[in-house]
Amino acid sequence: MYIDSSIKKYLDDLSAKLPTPGGGSAAALVSATGVSCLLMVVNFSIGKRGYEQEQDELKKIAAKLSTLNSQLSTLIDEDVDAYAKLSKAYQLPKDTTEEKEMRSKKIQESLKMAMEVPWKILLNSLKASAFCDRLREIGNKNLISDVDCGESFLRAAIDGARINIEINLKSISDSSFVSEKETELKKILEAL
């Protein structure tokens, strides 16, 4: 699991000629990094003189961001696992009609699962980015640039997740599923 390994190991594998990790996993890492920047601002604001009136709200934000950070950290490896399952499905035999049908079914199931990971990255990144404006108002004023960096990383993760969602949707043959997800995605992106 990458979440328990060094950053160097992750980056070495990401840059190597290996099937995983890839862009989806990297989007989760970028999002978790963005959330971590926001959490740093919160943690430097909790208990700090001059921010007494915001303590309760800051603690609530910290709890929500911590949950999102944990979920995003898990998605770093979930994306690797989803790709491994998809790759395995593509390797299934296809000599007989029955094998071709089974292979096609497994590929489609795996594509849907692979699409769900960046979907979660997208939604969690959006939830986290919703705190940026408020943290600029009530967070430690010496760390506003860290809020800005966090927001920038979250925007990059949202874009990376979108790219991965769209590429998976192109290969999914269930037209009603694809249409539903494309409509949801369009609404989400229009609201940004």
Side-chain angles (χ1 to χ4, degrees):
M1 293 194 47
Y2 283 108
I3 196 61
D4 296 323
S5 68
S6 71
I7 292 173
K8 181 179 182 344
K9 165 73 172 146
Y10 182 85
L11 295 175
D12 285 349
D13 285 1
L14 182 62
S15 64
K17 190 176 179 180
L18 296 170
T20 59
S25 177
L29 176 62
V30 170
S31 186
T33 303
V35 174
S36 293
C37 286
L38 300 182
L39 272 167
M40 177 180 61
V41 174
V42 172
N43 287 325
F44 269 107
S45 304
I46 292 174
K48 182 159 178 67
R49 196 161 31 111
Y51 298 89
E52 292 87 359
Q53 291 182 344
E54 291 85 13
Q55 293 301 296
D56 288 342
E57 185 177 358
L58 286 164
K59 288 175 184 173
K60 288 176 186 174
I61 292 171
K64 290 174 184 174
L65 288 174
S66 292
T67 298
L68 290 170
N69 206 24
S70 177
Q71 291 169 355
L72 286 159
S73 296
T74 300
L75 292 170
I76 293 167
D77 286 309
E78 265 188 50
D79 187 73
V80 171
D81 292 341
Y83 184 83
K85 288 175 183 164
L86 178 59
S87 183
K88 203 173 193 178
Y90 274 111
Q91 293 170 8
L92 289 171
K94 53 184 176 178
D95 298 323
T96 67
T97 302
E98 188 177 272
E99 286 176 343
K100 286 178 187 174
E101 288 174 4
M102 178 55 75
R103 179 178 178 270
S104 179
K105 180 182 174 198
K106 290 290 185 189
I107 288 170
Q108 289 302 309
E109 288 171 0
S110 298
L111 282 166
K112 285 181 180 179
M113 285 192 299
M115 195 276 315
E116 285 301 319
V117 176
W119 193 267
K120 290 176 191 175
I121 295 166
L122 175 75
L123 295 180
N124 285 335
S125 299
L126 287 166
K127 288 175 188 174
S129 66
F131 292 105
C132 292
D133 286 343
R134 189 62 180 145
L135 285 176
R136 283 188 194 91
E137 294 171 8
I138 67 170
N140 189 316
K141 300 301 178 209
N142 296 321
L143 300 170
I144 296 304
S145 63
D146 295 295
V147 176
D148 294 343
C149 285
E151 185 174 43
S152 179
F153 297 150
L154 289 165
R155 280 196 309 264
I158 289 165
D159 198 40
R162 175 196 56 80
I163 290 165
N164 280 275
I165 290 166
E166 289 173 348
I167 198 70
N168 282 303
L169 287 175
K170 284 182 182 179
S171 300
I172 295 173
S173 60
D174 181 345
S175 58
S176 62
F177 177 86
V178 170
S179 178
E180 178 184 318
K181 289 297 182 183
E182 285 176 341
T183 301
E184 280 183 66
L185 182 60
K186 186 178 178 187
K187 285 180 186 173
I188 289 168
L189 297 176
E190 283 174 352
L192 290 177

